[in-house]
Amino acid sequence: MRYIEPHGHMVSRTTDDYQDMVTAGCAAVCEPAFWAGFDRSTVHGFHDYFCQLTDFEPKRAARYGLPHFSWLCINPKESEDVKLAEEVIGIIPGFLQRSNVLGIGEIGLNKNSRNEMKVLEMHVDLAARHEQLILVHTPHLEDKLKGTRLILDVIRSDSRIQPERVLIDHVEEHTVRLVLDRGHWGGMTLYPVSKCSPARAVDILDVCGGDRLWMNSACDWGESVPLAIPRTALEMRRRGWTAEAVDRVIYQNPIRFLSQCPKFKLAAESA
Amino acid sequence: MTRQQVLDLYFMDARCKLIDLAAFLDRVDRGTGEADFRLSALQDSLKALSGAEPLRAKTVLLTLSDPTLEPAAKALGKGAVGAWPGAN
Ligand SMILES: [Zn+2]
């Protein structure tokens, strides 16, 4: 088995996780900028984090032979402070040329507030000006439906954005169609309690087809499972999916979306 | 998959989750003090299980969701609780 982990917050994980992922067939990991569990107080904190995502973490992953890519932004959970967000967005262009940066993400909404919306619009503008791919976080639990609708409208209102260059993450049964019908890609996050269980993710693939969907563990410092993708692949096999069909979802689909950024290249792209 | 295959693969898991849910509701009943909107939201969403269409998961999620579209004036905190408390 081979797979791509398209959404993992590896700065929060141990080297044991890297070893387990590579052992299970992980061929690349992509790390969106995330909330640290506390609010960073200055733009300098973000500068150091972006250095970690684009310099230190790729080196750590390389020790296990794993290509590491990243996405940059100020996370929606820290977007209530618009002035700080403006400062952080101001330093991102200085990092966009780094070799492992795939685009702007994970941007989006958390509590669906006006300030979060403003910062989302600023990020979408940044992505458009620099022709970057976009990775979007949708809110949690009861806020997801509303947040997804608001996000989709913000993206549609910027005519420079091509829908197929945007992946809307953390979709569930009530939001997946909204996302796919707009021409975007959807991401299903495999979490122990919230978001999707492996069985539900495979249900969504059965119902919606696997053309523009990927799966991720979104492993971070909270309850999450770095091996959620290979475990879900096992679920697919138990349900009669062929090895080729599983490979299409967990390996080829992420490559199809991510390859829209020319920097996403895997050294040994073989079976 | 045939229905038989689905049952073979998932019946025990569903049975386990159903009994856990029943035990949770019993536990709430045995508790003291007032419950809040989360309990009534859960009870409302249980009605979706007796629906005739294979849209039950979606319906449960919609029942627990904020259906409004107006952005909030301010983000009060960062977390979510799993059910919408209503407009007030
Ligand atoms: Zn994330």
Side-chain angles (χ1 to χ4, degrees):
Chain A
M1 183 181 5
R2 58 184 184 171
Y3 74 97
I4 311 280
E5 172 55 81
H7 188 147
H9 299 290
M10 301 310 294
V11 303
S12 307
R13 308 301 312 192
T14 66
T15 47
D16 286 351
D17 295 326
Y18 271 125
Q19 279 180 323
D20 290 345
M21 288 162 69
V22 173
T23 304
C26 190
V29 63
C30 308
E31 176 153 9
F34 186 48
W35 183 56
F38 62 93
D39 289 355
R40 297 174 183 89
S41 56
T42 67
V43 68
H44 306 295
F46 284 90
H47 177 275
D48 291 348
Y49 179 45
F50 295 158
C51 289
Q52 185 180 17
L53 289 178
T54 57
D55 184 25
F56 176 75
E57 203 59 36
K59 286 182 189 147
R60 196 162 78 105
R63 289 175 56 197
Y64 305 93
L66 187 63
H68 175 284
F69 299 91
S70 64
W71 300 79
L72 303 180
C73 74
I74 174 168
N75 193 268
K77 283 198 173 76
E78 286 166 300
S79 293
E80 197 56 27
D81 184 343
V82 177
K83 191 173 168 306
L84 176 62
E86 279 169 352
E87 289 179 45
V88 174
I89 288 171
I91 66 168
I92 291 175
F95 288 89
L96 290 179
Q97 296 312 315
R98 295 206 173 181
S99 61
N100 80 329
V101 177
L102 298 174
I104 304 301
E106 54 184 305
I107 60 173
L109 298 174
N110 182 53
K111 294 305 292 179
N112 303 325
S113 75
R114 289 188 199 291
N115 282 356
E116 291 174 12
M117 292 276 287
K118 253 184 235 166
V119 175
L120 170 62
E121 286 163 359
M122 285 155 54
H123 276 118
V124 171
D125 173 66
L126 175 73
R129 282 188 284 116
H130 294 272
E131 296 178 358
Q132 297 291 308
L133 294 177
I134 293 177
L135 176 64
V136 178
H137 161 95
T138 51
H140 303 275
L141 306 173
E142 71 271 20
D143 299 316
K144 183 181 297 294
L145 175 70
K146 174 176 179 172
T148 302
R149 289 167 160 171
L150 291 171
I151 288 164
L152 289 173
D153 286 348
V154 167
I155 292 170
R156 186 162 64 181
S157 70
D158 193 321
S159 60
R160 298 168 296 174
I161 303 295
Q162 297 165 257
E164 69 277 12
R165 289 174 58 82
V166 179
L167 185 133
I168 310 279
D169 218 331
H170 318 317
V171 300
E172 293 181 56
E173 289 87 342
H174 60 322
T175 56
V176 61
R177 283 283 182 207
L178 303 175
V179 167
L180 295 178
D181 287 351
R182 290 279 179 98
H184 303 305
W185 283 70
M188 296 182 290
T189 297
L190 308 159
Y191 265 3
V193 179
S194 63
K195 303 191 170 71
C196 280
S197 63
R200 284 173 50 212
V202 185
D203 290 339
I204 291 173
L205 288 166
D206 281 342
V207 172
C208 296
D211 190 36
R212 272 181 285 120
L213 286 169
W214 78 24
M215 298 191 288
N216 58 66
S217 76
C219 56
D220 56 22
W221 44 261
E223 278 180 40
S224 48
V225 182
L227 294 183
I229 296 175
R231 288 185 191 169
T232 305
L234 181 62
E235 181 91 10
M236 294 162 91
R237 295 288 279 150
R238 288 169 78 206
R239 284 166 65 154
W241 285 59
T242 64
E244 161 61 21
V246 172
D247 186 75
R248 215 175 301 133
V249 173
I250 67 175
Y251 184 76
Q252 297 172 43
N253 274 7
I255 289 178
R256 273 202 297 133
F257 177 77
L258 297 167
S259 295
Q260 295 181 90
C261 172
K263 284 188 266 179
F264 185 82
K265 289 221 165 55
L266 299 182
E269 231 176 85
S270 59
Chain B
M1 293 174 93
T2 65
R3 292 197 173 107
Q4 203 62 57
Q5 286 170 325
V6 174
L7 286 167
D8 288 347
L9 206 48
Y10 289 110
F11 177 78
M12 284 304 290
D13 180 55
R15 178 185 187 276
C16 169
K17 286 171 178 159
L18 179 63
I19 297 167
D20 259 347
L21 177 60
F24 162 72
L25 292 171
D26 289 347
R27 206 174 303 135
V28 173
D29 273 352
R30 289 196 307 272
T32 56
E34 291 296 308
D36 63 30
F37 64 92
R38 290 172 294 178
L39 182 62
S40 43
L42 193 87
Q43 283 162 338
D44 271 354
S45 58
L46 284 175
K47 293 173 196 154
L49 302 191
S50 49
E53 299 284 315
L55 292 168
R56 296 176 191 88
K58 179 179 177 179
T59 308
V60 167
L61 284 161
L62 289 175
T63 307
L64 297 171
S65 293
D66 177 353
T68 67
L69 266 178
E70 187 62 27
K74 198 173 173 5
L76 302 169
K78 297 191 197 290
V81 297
W84 186 54
N88 300 310

